[in-house]
Amino acid sequence: MRKKTPLPDEENVLHQDVLNIVSYSPQKLQFIICGKPKSANQLLGQNWFKRKKNADLFKDTIRYLILNKQNVTNVKLRKIKHVKICAIIYRSQYMDFDGAVSTLKPIVDGLKGLVIEDDSWELTGPWLIDQKKCQRGKEKVVLQIEEVI
């Protein structure tokens, strides 16, 4: 059983503007994550422990920022069971498809238990992923979680 990792301290979070909740309704959540998680190709040669530490840090940071936004804005997020996940990844270079999916994995893992019940295929189905080019330093991920009824 995986130990619960404590949420990172504020000094371990890059900056508070990393996560911006754009719109929220009981059926749909859209937000922007500034910056970029490491791609699968960047993590390939690393030891498994370093890869896990990188994923855990990003996942815990997302969880921390969502909880922080809920407290500051009084937006109460509920867990959605059946969801459709749509993402647009803005990067300076295009990635192959499996690299794009692996980049989103720590983000979606951070949403488990807070926004989505689980990320299993039965509950999410196929993820819709698009990529767009942008300038270096302006990388971001736009993620939309929509309830499927």
Side-chain angles (χ1 to χ4, degrees), residues 9-26:
D9 302 340
E10 280 194 40
E11 55 267 6
N12 291 338
V13 177
L14 297 175
H15 50 83
Q16 293 299 317
D17 295 330
V18 172
L19 181 76
N20 183 17
I21 296 176
V22 176
S23 65
Y24 173 72
S25 70

Side-chain angles (χ1 to χ4, degrees), residues 51-64:
R51 288 193 312 265
K52 181 182 180 320
K53 190 174 177 181
N54 177 66
D56 285 347
L57 178 65
F58 204 88
K59 178 174 38 173
D60 293 341
T61 300
I62 293 295
R63 293 180 62 79
Y64 170 83

Side-chain angles (χ1 to χ4, degrees), residues 17 25 34 40 44 46 62 71 79 82 97 107 113 116-117:
D17 295 330
S25 70
C34 298
L44 262 178
Q46 289 187 349
I62 293 295
N71 293 337
K79 283 189 251 181
H82 293 280
F97 184 74
I107 297 171
I116 60 176
E117 197 168 290

Side-chain angles (χ1 to χ4, degrees), residues 85-100:
I85 298 175
C86 304
I88 303 173
I89 302 170
Y90 292 85
R91 290 181 72 117
S92 58
Q93 295 180 345
Y94 290 119
M95 297 183 289
D96 52 5
F97 184 74
D98 58 335

Side-chain angles (χ1 to χ4, degrees), residues 1-7 52 56 59-60 63:
M1 181 188 239
R2 181 180 168 326
K3 273 188 181 178
K4 289 276 183 190
T5 321
L7 295 176
K52 181 182 180 320
D56 285 347
K59 178 174 38 173
D60 293 341
R63 293 180 62 79

Side-chain angles (χ1 to χ4, degrees), residues 82-88 104 107-109 111 116 118-120 123-129 142-148:
H82 293 280
V83 297
K84 178 172 75 171
I85 298 175
C86 304
I88 303 173
L104 293 173
I107 297 171
V108 174
D109 284 347
L111 299 174
I116 60 176
D118 193 22
D119 64 347
S120 66
L123 300 180
T124 65
W127 298 0
L128 302 173
I129 300 172
V142 178
L143 194 67
Q144 181 174 303
I145 310 289
E146 190 170 347
E147 185 172 25
V148 176

